[in-house]
Amino acid sequence: MAKVLIATVKPFSTEAVAEVKKVFQETGYDVEVLAKYPDQSDLVGAVADADALIIRSDIVDRAVLEAAKNLKIVVRAGAGYDNVDLKAATEKGVVVMNTPGQNSNAVAELAFGMLVFLNRNGLTPAAGRELRGKKLGIHAYGFVGRIVGMIAKGFGMKVFAFDPFVDKVIIEKDGVTCEQSVEDLYSKCEYISLHIPANAETKGSINFGLMNLMPEGATVVNTARKEVIDEAGLVKMFRERDDFRYLSDIAPDCKDELEEQYRGRCFFTPKKMGAQTAEANLNAGVAAATQIVSFLEKGDTTFKVN
Ligand code: 3PG
């Protein structure tokens, strides 16, 4: 009988775990849940006899893959898979998948939650600012970017996007203006919402030169990954532009410096929580479970990323 390990340092909701278990009960698989584990060695130990693994931002490095002698598939219940060593997985013959789109709405809603929070001075009575009529640039028009665009229109914002991997026709069909270069996007928009993945090309790519193109009132909201920001450039932006503001779902390494010196112009969530809703847990968890069953029973490799 196949064994599935659900390893989530940041636990799924109780309801999501129950629904995920139900999927596996129907196929007769054994399920073990390893939630909120204090040390990476716990994952290394627990994975030893697992045939399949469901994770969130949990680290699946070479050590985990070496320890997992029976492992055939890892599904990252979510979008970004920068936490998985794809090269090691491929070498070991382990299939890696994500569950694209399943937690996107939660992330997109958080971007606006943070924007409103900052624009209203942390929900204090001081006079704030509105989003209506402002220009929002969506940097990468994937699942999250698209929902961000829809919500932005509800706020009455003018919406722009740049994504070299998405056809202009698709972007413009949504009533979003497609920019031809990343520089055009940043030059035009006082608000930028980041939705690029973290990879060798994008890490540190949001730098001073790019952010400094933004017009007066420049505000960057990052619900993607902290690594895509060049932190030296970020600090320089705060130092040189007193209109600049930065929001991030998971704090940058320079958090203390920014919070001390630029209070009111930045906000960081204490833990990455963009996808932490009951709905997103359920959608991504059940999708991961279904993909595992489909792969183990039928060899279905839809959403394979390695
Ligand atoms: C993702 O890549 O899907 C999001 O960043 C959510 O990550 P999480 O599952 O760790 O909350």
Side-chain angles (χ1 to χ4, degrees):
M1 190 192 293
K3 179 182 161 183
V4 184
L5 176 68
I6 305 171
T8 51
V9 167
K10 188 169 46 188
F12 283 139
S13 67
T14 314
E15 186 201 4
V17 174
E19 290 302 315
V20 169
K21 280 184 172 169
K22 224 186 259 176
V23 174
F24 294 122
Q25 268 154 15
E26 278 159 20
T27 38
Y29 296 179
D30 271 346
V31 180
E32 183 186 331
V33 179
L34 178 73
K36 269 193 187 168
Y37 51 95
D39 198 88
Q40 182 68 5
S41 61
D42 298 319
L43 174 57
V44 173
V47 83
D49 58 347
D51 295 281
L53 175 62
I54 295 180
I55 51 158
R56 298 185 65 181
S57 290
D58 305 75
I59 306 296
V60 175
D61 55 13
R62 193 172 281 276
V64 171
L65 291 157
E66 298 278 355
K69 302 286 179 226
N70 298 341
L71 196 64
K72 293 151 192 81
I73 179 167
V74 177
V75 182
R76 192 280 190 245
Y81 43 87
D82 45 308
N83 48 324
V84 181
D85 185 337
L86 292 187
K87 189 169 173 279
T90 306
E91 279 169 27
K92 298 255 149 221
V94 174
V95 165
V96 181
M97 295 182 186
N98 64 351
T99 64
Q102 300 292 344
N103 58 17
S104 308
N105 188 67
V107 178
E109 285 190 12
L110 184 72
F112 284 90
M114 290 201 294
L115 281 172
V116 171
F117 183 77
L118 186 75
N119 270 8
R120 296 305 184 92
N121 305 303
L123 305 184
T124 62
R129 310 178 196 183
E130 297 180 22
L131 293 170
R132 187 167 65 163
K134 310 297 190 310
K135 296 190 183 83
L136 174 75
I138 302 171
H139 190 167
Y141 201 68
F143 286 99
V144 183
R146 274 166 224 197
I147 302 172
V148 163
M150 286 191 306
I151 299 174
K153 283 199 213 151
F155 273 98
M157 300 184 86
K158 295 169 189 144
V159 189
F160 302 79
F162 170 72
D163 193 326
F165 304 105
V166 179
D167 199 295
K168 181 182 166 134
V169 175
I170 292 172
I171 295 176
E172 304 229 310
K173 210 167 82 200
D174 291 346
V176 171
T177 305
C178 179
E179 293 301 330
Q180 292 311 307
S181 74
V182 71
E183 289 79 13
D184 287 346
L185 187 79
Y186 282 66
S187 305
K188 205 165 271 179
C189 300
E190 58 266 69
Y191 288 87
I192 291 285
S193 191
L194 294 175
H195 303 292
I196 50 177
N199 57 39
E201 286 79 49
T202 61
K203 281 185 185 166
S205 65
I206 312 304
N207 53 31
F208 177 79
L210 192 57
M211 290 187 279
N212 198 32
L213 293 173
M214 293 174 72
E216 176 69 24
T219 304
V220 174
V221 56
N222 181 4
T223 53
R225 289 288 182 275
K226 72 169 185 168
E227 293 83 1
V228 301
I229 295 277
D230 167 33
E231 292 204 10
L234 181 67
V235 171
K236 192 170 174 202
M237 271 302 282
F238 272 101
R239 205 184 306 128
E240 297 197 2
R241 297 240 332 229
D242 56 18
D243 63 314
F244 179 70
R245 302 178 304 161
Y246 181 64
L247 296 155
S248 183
D249 182 21
I250 198 164
D253 295 337
C254 58
K255 165 188 185 284
D256 291 346
E257 180 182 353
L258 298 185
E259 284 181 342
E260 267 163 38
Q261 296 186 29
Y262 307 105
R263 186 162 292 280
R265 291 170 52 197
C266 57
F267 174 76
F268 312 118
T269 53
K271 268 196 175 166
K272 186 158 66 115
M273 53 165 289
Q276 194 61 328
T277 65
E279 294 88 342
N281 285 179
L282 187 66
N283 293 343
V286 170
T290 309
Q291 288 172 218
I292 285 173
V293 173
S294 201
F295 172 72
L296 291 180
E297 300 299 317
K298 295 184 271 182
D300 181 353
T301 53
T302 311
F303 304 125
K304 181 174 185 277
V305 295
N306 66 333

